[in-house]
């Protein structure tokens, strides 16, 4: 049996009529950039995710640096984030011209460790960017408390955390902004690049609308800006898909519980945890191989049996060869947990379109390997 890592082609087939209808509507409208479909999707997304404003931008990386820039954060400022995220989080801080200060993650949740944030704060610190890694919410109450104590802004990088939240709060409730990526593999993905900034602050909304459109909010009038707009075709795809996000998130959580149950007796593996009081949306289902030296063996075994398992991410950010910036970043304390994660993680297939038969096959192969290595 072959089990792929993504289900988006199947997902398209499942709701083809709804997507095609929206695409057709945009094509016939003749309005492809900052047109009515973008406006409609921004309103729908703001309503669904409980945010006053939603601004569609070109991608999830731009969503982060445009938020930093809108907050006036740039050269001379420090922004704290963590080492085991996708490269783009730190890249966005660099694009904004600020210095990334990189701290370690919590050993179990893999999200930024609030205790490590506090020790990294200096007079130059302006913001914290927690990442809802793999779909697991960062410890937002602790992070908001720190931000309030030290007068810092918070931008939640929720590229992987779409539809996640705490039991008693929503994403972004006390943050300046929440940013998402709509690239296809995300829990809500379009057919190209896309991103969005959610904010309750009118000033941030206004600034990003201007920044994304060549610094213009009035025809022929410009200040320095950029070109980073979510186009209307992608907005149409996302508008059709948004109607299914609740159902898809529930399916992901259901698959996670099934993996948990089937793999609970594995001796060589750590299964993902779900921080109590928070909704993990399982963008990825990531297991850890206790003996790091055997990670490649399990990955190879799964791949050889037709299972497309991957690593997220096998090189922590500060170990990237292309990390060129010298003094534009700083490592704050040991990054042991992030490095351990990079050496031991494996992401199993996880998407709403997975079938029971496919999931059970993956779990059976993982179990088979675990038994053979115990
Ligand atoms: C955690 C995280 N942040 C930022 C991004 C950047 O998003 P994009 O690829 O849309 O620029 C991604 C994914 O791609 C991501 O996973």
């Amino acid at each position: 049996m072959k089990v792929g890592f993504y289900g988006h082609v199947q997902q398209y087939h499942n709701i083809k009529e709804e997507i095609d209808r929206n695409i057709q509507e945009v094509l016939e409208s003749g309005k492809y950039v900052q047109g009515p479909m973008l406006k409609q999707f921004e309103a729908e997304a703001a309503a669904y995710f409980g945010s006053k404003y939603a601004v569609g931008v070109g991608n999830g990386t731009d969503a982060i640096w445009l938020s930093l820039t809108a907050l006036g954060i740039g050269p001379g400022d420090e922004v704290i984030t963590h080492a085991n995220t996708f490269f783009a989080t730190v890249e966005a801080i660099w694009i904004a011209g600020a210095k990334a200060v990189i701290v370690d993650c919590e050993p179990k949740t893999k999200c930024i460790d609030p205790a490590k944030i506090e020790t990294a704060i200096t007079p130059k610190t302006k913001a914290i960017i927690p990442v809802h890694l793999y779909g697991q919410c960062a410890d937002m109450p602790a992070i908001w408390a720190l931000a309030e104590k030290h007068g810092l802004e918070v931008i939640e990088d929720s590229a992987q955390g779409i539809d996640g939240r705490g039991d008693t709060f929503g994403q972004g409730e006390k943050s300046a902004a929440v940013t998402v990526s709509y690239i296809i593999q995300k829990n809500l993905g379009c057919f190209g690049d896309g991103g969005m900034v959610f904010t309750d602050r009118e000033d941030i909304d206004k600034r990003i609308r201007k920044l994304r459109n060549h610094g213009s909010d009035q025809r022929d009038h410009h200040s320095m800006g950029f070109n980073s707009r979510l186009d209307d075709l992608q907005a149409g795809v996302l508008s059709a898909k948004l109607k299914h996000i609740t159902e898809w998130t529930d399916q992901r959580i259901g698959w996670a519980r099934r993996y948990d149950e089937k793999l609970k007796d594995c001796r060589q593996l750590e299964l993902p945890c779900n921080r109590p009081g928070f909704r993990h949306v399982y963008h990825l289902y990531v297991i850890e191989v206790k003996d790091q030296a055997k990670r490649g063996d399990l990955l190879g075994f799964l791949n050889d049996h037709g299972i497309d398992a991957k690593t997220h991410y096998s090189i922590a950010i500060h170990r990237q060869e292309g990390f060129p910036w010298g003094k534009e970043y700083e490592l704050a304390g040991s990054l042991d947990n992030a490095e351990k994660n990079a050496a031991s993680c494996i992401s199993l297939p996880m998407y709403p379109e997975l079938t029971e038969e496919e999931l059970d096959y993956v779990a059976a192969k993982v179990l088979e390997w675990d038994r053979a290595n115990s």
Side-chain angles (χ1 to χ4, degrees):
M1 180 184 273
K2 285 212 176 308
V3 186
F5 198 75
Y6 302 114
H8 46 255
V9 177
Q10 183 60 47
Q11 185 178 81
Y12 170 56
H13 292 152
N14 292 349
I15 58 164
K16 186 174 184 313
E17 270 180 33
E18 296 160 63
I19 289 177
D20 288 358
R21 199 183 313 126
N22 280 4
I23 288 178
Q24 202 65 34
E25 187 181 323
V26 174
L27 290 178
E28 294 294 344
S29 77
K31 293 182 177 132
Y32 310 137
V33 179
Q34 300 210 114
M37 189 58 90
L38 174 62
K39 216 171 174 182
Q40 178 187 317
F41 176 61
E42 286 179 336
E44 290 167 348
Y48 181 84
F49 294 111
S51 175
K52 266 198 194 147
Y53 307 100
V55 193
V57 296
N59 54 67
T61 311
D62 287 358
I64 301 170
W65 79 260
L66 287 169
S67 298
L68 287 167
T69 304
L71 287 164
I73 297 171
D77 298 330
E78 292 179 0
V79 177
I80 298 173
T81 192
H82 62 131
N84 56 318
T85 174
F86 181 59
F87 196 67
T89 315
V90 171
E91 198 177 27
I93 298 170
W94 175 72
I95 297 170
K99 182 195 229 182
V101 175
I102 298 169
V103 302
D104 209 358
C105 62
E106 297 171 324
K108 288 234 174 289
T109 67
K110 316 300 178 201
C111 293
I112 194 165
D113 185 342
K116 303 284 167 54
I117 296 175
E118 184 135 44
T119 58
I121 294 172
T122 74
K124 291 183 178 171
T125 308
K126 291 290 181 317
I128 306 166
I129 304 187
V131 182
H132 300 316
L133 196 75
Y134 305 153
Q136 171 100 269
C137 261
D139 187 351
M140 291 316 302
I143 293 164
W144 285 327
L146 275 175
E148 202 177 336
K149 183 171 158 196
H150 295 276
L152 306 176
E153 301 284 7
V154 178
I155 297 169
E156 298 174 41
D157 178 351
S158 192
Q160 303 184 7
I162 293 173
D163 213 17
R165 57 172 180 260
D167 288 350
T168 56
F169 62 85
Q171 277 185 7
E173 226 164 77
K174 294 186 188 166
S175 298
V178 177
T179 64
V180 303
S181 164
Y182 290 132
I183 197 162
I184 185 66
Q185 62 266 30
K186 297 303 192 241
N187 290 24
L188 181 63
C190 60
F191 295 162
D193 278 312
M196 191 161 261
V197 180
F198 294 94
T199 182
D200 285 345
R201 281 171 45 179
E202 193 183 3
D203 58 326
I204 297 176
D205 173 72
K206 275 201 172 144
R207 277 188 214 135
I208 294 182
R209 281 181 195 283
K210 207 168 163 182
L211 281 168
R212 76 173 176 184
N213 189 38
H214 304 291
S216 175
D217 56 6
Q218 196 189 340
R219 192 174 172 79
D220 292 341
H221 293 258
H222 297 267
S223 52
M224 278 305 175
F226 202 67
N227 177 357
S228 182
R229 302 167 296 214
L230 179 67
D231 70 61
D232 282 54
L233 280 172
Q234 303 303 347
V237 172
L238 290 162
S239 172
K241 288 191 172 192
L242 184 66
K243 297 177 179 62
H244 299 271
I245 187 74
T246 308
E247 165 202 343
W248 291 338
T249 301
D250 287 346
Q251 277 166 338
R252 284 177 183 273
I253 293 169
W255 290 145
R257 295 292 82 82
R258 195 173 177 97
Y259 270 135
D260 289 347
E261 180 56 30
K262 300 227 165 245
L263 301 178
K264 67 179 189 304
D265 296 327
C266 285
R267 293 204 208 125
Q268 303 302 320
L269 306 173
E270 291 280 359
L271 303 185
C273 73
N274 184 356
R275 187 197 298 283
F278 296 76
R279 178 155 98 145
H280 194 322
V281 293
Y282 294 97
H283 171 59
L284 296 168
Y285 187 92
V286 180
I287 57 174
E288 274 183 274
V289 183
K290 286 181 189 164
D291 179 355
Q292 295 170 10
K294 290 186 176 168
R295 193 255 306 264
D297 190 55
L298 173 55
L299 201 53
F301 178 81
L302 295 175
N303 293 163
D304 288 349
H305 285 86
I307 296 164
D308 191 4
K310 298 186 187 297
T311 54
H312 293 85
Y313 301 91
S314 63
I315 306 174
I317 280 184
H318 59 291
R319 296 280 180 203
Q320 288 289 348
E321 247 175 64
F323 203 72
W325 317 314
K327 60 186 179 337
E328 280 130 2
Y329 76 93
E330 195 171 287
L331 309 181
S334 103
L335 301 173
D336 290 352
N337 295 330
E339 297 209 354
K340 178 172 172 279
N341 191 47
S344 60
C345 63
I346 294 184
S347 310
L348 300 180
M350 163 58 80
Y351 42 91
E353 298 72 27
L354 208 58
T355 65
E356 263 181 27
E357 195 189 2
E358 287 167 337
L359 186 147
D360 291 355
Y361 173 71
V362 176
K365 287 294 159 200
V366 173
L367 269 172
E368 187 181 321
W369 181 88
D370 186 83
R371 300 246 155 90
N373 285 274
S374 294

